[in-house]
Every structure is written in C-alpha cells, then in structure tokens.
Amino acid sequence: MILAILAFGCVEKKSNDKTARLFQPIVIFNAGDEDKASIAHLLNRINTCSPKVIGINFLFGNNGQVMDTTLSNSIKGSQNAVLTSIYQDEAYFRSDTLFRSVAAGEGLIELGVDDKGIVTKQMIFVSIADELKWSFPMTVASYYDADKSVVTMHNAVADEYYEINYESGEDFMILEGNDSTWDCSSIKDKIVLIGFLGPGSKDTYSIPGGEKKYATWILASCIRDILNGDFKKVN
C-alpha cells in the first residue's frame, strides 16, 4: 500500500530523549496555523541567514489575494526553495503555478506503509507517464550536497522502496516560526524545512516501535538517510 502524506505537513516537537543526537544539517521550523503572509515573513527572515536549501511542506492555493503575491515574492527571493507535490490516483496535487513558477524545484512525497499501516519506506525516484520524477527528500538533498545526490542516483532504482532508518539515534533541531530569539548561526548553510507542527495529533503517522511521528519529521528522516547513503532496498 502506498502512502502519500499530504503536504500540509507536520513536524515533531523536540525529542524528549535527552540522549538523542541532533542531525546537524537539518533544521525544522514550525509554521503553526499561520497564514500565507506570516509564512512569507518567516521565509524572508530565513532568507537573510543563507541556508543552502529551504523545503516547504505545504500546498499553496491561489486565492488572488495580496498575501498570495507576498508569499510568491518571498519564495522567489529564497535560495533554492523546494515545494512538495503528491501524485495519487492518477492525479497531481500541487501548489498553484504562481508559487511553482518561482520555486527552485518541486519533489514528490512518496512514502510506503507495511501491512499494519506503519510508515517504513520511501521511494526516491518515481516514474509517472514515462517521466522520471524525484522525491521531495531527494530534491532537497541534491541542493544541499550535489555529490552525494549523484551517488544516490547511481544506487537507487526508480519505483523501488527503500527502508527509512529510524534507529539512527538522531533527531532534528526544531525552531518555532514565531520565535524571534533564534539567530542565523542555527540555519546558515543548512537544510531548512518548514511545515505545520500542530498543535494536536493530526498528520501523525505510526513508525516502527509504536511511536507516532509527524509528516515533516519523517521527511527529514528520509533526507538524512539519503545524505548518509543509508538506504536499504525493501524486498
């Protein structure tokens, strides 16, 4: 069964496990329930700190409002902003052209579950109508480290699932989008992911071990695996 996690996303709060190591290249921002204008403001702040790539885990519609233009301009001004998309039941779910046309890239979210509904795997390359599409994690990773993405291209096979390594012992730095206390040193030259962090348990998914994690946290794990070259083909 294929699970395409909706790109309205979610992000895990900071781990309660004090022994967990932070995977330094990735920082996740909680955009909360903010509107497009607030997300645009957050993007503008992030842009001043020169991250290598910004992965945005939202699907944006175009309502013809001023805030749509404001957000589009902020995406355009971002360095290597990557949007998410979903392909399900032969239909694309994507942000409006207003936003896609100014983003650096777009990647599919294609995750898989086992027979118990537990998210265990990711697809790195997906064939759609005889066209090869890159996953969102792969697209983001390629902007961060082109050399490692080339290695992945040589080793990963299209339309095959690869295990997500949840046992690495690594977690991710979580920053609140409306928090003014973080500084540029936290995100400079790193991967920044922006997603909805709650509150509440919506968009949580079961992972091995009985835990539930948010969608963007799972996507961050997929990116980490690609950068570490840590992916094992699912039989």
Side-chain angles (χ1 to χ4, degrees):
M1 175 181 178
I2 294 176
L3 173 66
I5 294 182
L6 291 178
F8 297 106
C10 287
V11 180
E12 177 71 349
K13 297 296 184 181
K14 191 171 293 184
S15 173
N16 291 325
D17 181 2
K18 296 182 179 180
T19 65
R21 305 183 307 276
L22 290 179
F23 184 71
Q24 296 298 331
I26 299 177
V27 177
I28 305 174
F29 273 89
N30 173 17
D33 288 315
E34 301 292 353
D35 59 17
K36 291 175 185 172
S38 298
I39 294 175
H41 177 69
L42 173 59
L43 268 174
N44 292 340
R45 289 179 62 199
I46 291 172
N47 291 338
T48 64
C49 299
S50 301
K52 279 197 172 181
V53 57
I54 302 172
I56 305 173
N57 189 27
F58 287 94
L59 294 178
F60 298 117
N62 180 6
N63 300 317
Q65 299 179 353
V66 173
M67 72 174 73
D68 293 305
T69 302
T70 300
L71 177 58
S72 177
N73 289 337
S74 296
I75 293 173
K76 183 177 181 179
S78 300
Q79 182 176 5
N80 297 334
V82 177
L83 301 178
T84 50
S85 64
I86 297 169
Y87 186 79
Q88 193 170 33
D89 298 328
E90 299 185 356
Y92 260 120
F93 299 88
R94 312 169 76 183
S95 289
D96 186 80
T97 304
L98 176 68
F99 308 105
R100 298 201 318 270
S101 64
V102 294
E106 181 185 39
L108 282 169
I109 297 178
E110 188 60 63
L111 304 176
V113 300
D114 64 13
D115 56 2
K116 296 180 180 179
I118 297 172
V119 180
T120 58
K121 52 197 176 183
Q122 65 166 316
M123 194 174 286
I124 298 174
F125 301 108
V126 186
S127 298
I128 298 176
D130 298 324
E131 184 177 356
L132 186 65
K133 300 290 187 180
W134 287 25
S135 71
F136 175 77
M138 178 62 187
T139 305
V140 170
S142 70
Y143 279 107
Y144 180 75
D145 192 324
D147 291 337
K148 288 185 178 179
S149 68
V150 169
V151 173
T152 303
M153 290 174 64
H154 285 296
N155 290 286
V157 178
D159 304 321
E160 296 285 353
Y161 278 113
Y162 294 86
E163 291 182 4
I164 303 172
N165 180 14
Y166 295 114
E167 298 181 359
S168 70
E170 294 173 313
D171 209 331
F172 309 102
M173 178 181 288
I174 308 296
L175 298 175
E176 296 294 327
N178 59 6
D179 182 2
S180 61
T181 61
W182 59 270
D183 58 46
C184 283
S185 63
S186 300
I187 63 173
K188 181 176 173 57
D189 296 326
K190 294 186 178 184
I191 296 168
V192 170
L193 298 181
I194 300 174
F196 173 71
L197 307 179
S201 60
K202 62 183 178 181
D203 274 342
T204 59
Y205 299 89
S206 297
I207 66 170
E211 289 186 86
K212 282 188 174 288
K213 294 290 186 180
Y214 293 94
T216 303
W217 188 96
I218 294 174
L219 292 173
S221 299
C222 294
I223 296 168
R224 179 200 60 216
D225 287 356
I226 292 171
L227 292 176
N228 287 343
D230 185 10
F231 46 91
K232 179 181 178 183
K233 186 176 177 180
V234 177
N235 295 325

